[in-house]
Amino acid sequence: MAGDKEEQVVKAVQRMQDYIVRHLQEPITMRQLATVACYSPYHCARMFRELTGVPPFEYIRRARLTKSALVLRDGDRRILDVALDFVFDSHEGFTRAFSREFGVTPKRYAKKPGPVQLFLPYGVEFQHLYKKRHKESLMEKAQEKVCVVFTQVVERPARKLILRRGTKASDYFEYCEEVGGDVWGLLVSIKEALHEPAGIWLPPRMRSGGSEYVQGVEVSSSYDGDIPEGFEIIDLPACRMMVFQGEPYDDVHFEDAICSMQEQLKKFRPELYGYAWDKDNPRLQLEPQGWRGYIELWSVKEVQKS
């Protein structure tokens, strides 16, 4: 595939992904997916598998199991009701599928929801742009833009951080190449999380010979739950953080939004507001979501008045 044809295929598969999200709790047929994609069922199945890495119905099954796991984790629902809500024919069939996917029965998981590997695939348009990215040219464009930024200061109490380290990664892209894309699903599954998962730039004192950039989730300082294999938990002291939130943007332009924000932050002077950067504490990057704008949190400390 090349040029316009490649773009058309990417958009067709993205339409199928979007349809699946909207109709996850309803029966979905290959003909319905073909209708929204505007290709034959045969071509839709082939294109979908080529771009997402899994056949359409395996994708749907895993997406339903992930949503059902979150419902069981956060609610007090009967297993059968959850099974029927997500288009499984029986309690037994749902239990078998859930156990194969997560290595634990839904009944046991509902009683004690530990970390599991959720299925959280990216949209193919996002992946397509990632593969085609030209970071230097994007940075040049970002420098030409004016990024309106909303800023506030928040307090973070002493807490812990469950994280997966890389080796030498200094940003998101290097981290994905080193560690892979499975980290986020585990982090999202941790019920005791204080906030959403984040990409994190660690200060030198917290790196322990690993990468500067990691992915993790904050939990309370009293957390005593499971730590997923390959992850570790460290203490984070109380700190003050300055939140920077950019304008909403189209999701396929996520790199422009990130680069624009980061160029603005290079020029930001916290001293004008009575603060200085706190280089002994982390800097956080929240998941880019166009509807809310790109968000970073930088640790700051008050400037001592003479």
Side-chain angles (χ1 to χ4, degrees):
M1 295 182 293
D4 291 342
K5 184 178 179 181
E6 183 179 12
E7 297 290 338
Q8 290 170 9
V9 169
V10 169
K11 290 182 181 298
V13 175
Q14 183 66 58
R15 289 196 295 273
M16 287 190 277
Q17 287 183 296
D18 293 342
Y19 183 89
I20 289 168
V21 169
R22 293 195 303 270
H23 299 274
L24 203 57
Q25 292 182 256
E26 305 167 21
I28 299 174
T29 67
M30 199 65 237
R31 186 162 296 279
Q32 289 170 321
L33 295 179
T35 299
V36 298
C38 301
Y39 284 86
S40 71
Y42 169 80
H43 281 93
C44 283
R46 180 180 58 80
M47 293 185 305
F48 192 95
R49 181 168 189 162
E50 182 179 344
L51 267 64
T52 67
V54 292
F57 291 110
E58 180 182 345
Y59 183 102
I60 293 168
R61 177 186 61 80
R62 296 187 68 191
R64 284 173 173 160
L65 288 169
T66 285
K67 289 294 186 182
S68 70
L70 293 174
V71 170
L72 291 172
R73 184 194 71 179
D74 297 333
D76 185 20
R77 302 283 309 284
R78 291 197 313 158
I79 304 298
L80 179 59
D81 291 339
V82 175
L84 296 176
D85 282 348
F86 289 96
V87 203
F88 287 88
D89 293 334
S90 66
H91 186 294
E92 293 77 12
F94 175 65
T95 295
R96 285 195 300 271
F98 193 98
S99 300
R100 284 196 301 268
E101 183 73 12
F102 301 121
V104 61
T105 66
K107 182 177 180 179
R108 182 177 176 186
Y109 180 76
K111 287 184 177 179
K112 187 179 180 182
V116 295
Q117 183 66 64
L118 300 179
F119 180 62
L120 300 174
Y122 286 114
V124 294
E125 282 190 305
F126 177 95
Q127 293 174 317
H128 182 63
L129 186 61
Y130 164 64
K131 291 174 182 177
K132 289 179 62 179
R133 71 188 179 95
H134 299 289
K135 199 168 185 180
E136 291 182 1
S137 63
L138 283 170
M139 289 295 290
E140 290 171 3
K141 288 193 293 183
Q143 291 175 16
E144 298 170 0
K145 293 184 177 182
V146 175
C147 179
V148 178
V149 179
F150 171 73
T151 306
Q152 62 176 324
V153 176
V154 298
E155 301 286 343
R156 282 282 214 262
R159 67 255 187 239
K160 292 182 178 179
L161 175 69
I162 299 174
L163 74 157
R164 175 76 180 270
R165 298 186 191 273
T167 306
K168 298 180 179 178
S170 61
D171 62 25
Y172 168 81
F173 297 106
E174 292 176 357
Y175 183 84
C176 288
E177 290 170 3
E178 287 183 5
V179 180
D182 294 338
V183 175
W184 209 256
L186 272 167
L187 295 174
V188 170
S189 78
I190 297 175
K191 182 177 182 179
E192 296 86 352
L194 297 175
H195 309 284
E196 65 185 276
I200 302 156
W201 285 272
L202 295 174
R205 69 185 184 87
M206 294 183 183
R207 294 176 196 169
S208 297
S211 59
E212 174 187 7
Y213 186 91
V214 302
Q215 289 184 350
V217 68
E218 294 167 296
V219 293
S220 73
S221 57
S222 61
Y223 179 81
D224 61 357
D226 295 334
I227 307 300
E229 184 177 355
F231 289 68
E232 61 184 276
I233 188 165
I234 64 173
D235 291 312
L236 295 180
C239 70
R240 185 169 290 164
M241 305 196 86
M242 194 169 281
V243 182
F244 299 94
Q245 182 172 7
E247 301 171 277
Y249 58 88
D250 187 325
D251 279 320
V252 299
H253 298 139
F254 74 100
E255 277 196 290
D256 289 308
I258 293 172
C259 292
S260 296
M261 170 76 84
Q262 291 180 344
E263 284 302 304
Q264 293 295 316
L265 289 176
K266 288 179 182 177
K267 298 179 276 188
F268 188 85
R269 296 177 59 196
E271 295 82 6
L272 296 175
Y273 305 93
Y275 295 99
W277 298 130
D278 180 359
K279 296 183 180 180
D280 288 328
N281 278 300
R283 163 188 162 202
L284 276 60
Q285 173 188 56
L286 302 192
E287 180 182 11
Q289 296 184 24
W291 65 270
R292 67 181 182 184
Y294 176 62
I295 301 173
E296 285 197 17
L297 292 81
W298 289 49
S299 295
V300 294
K301 54 189 176 183
E302 282 190 290
V303 175
Q304 297 296 323
K305 297 180 180 179
S306 55

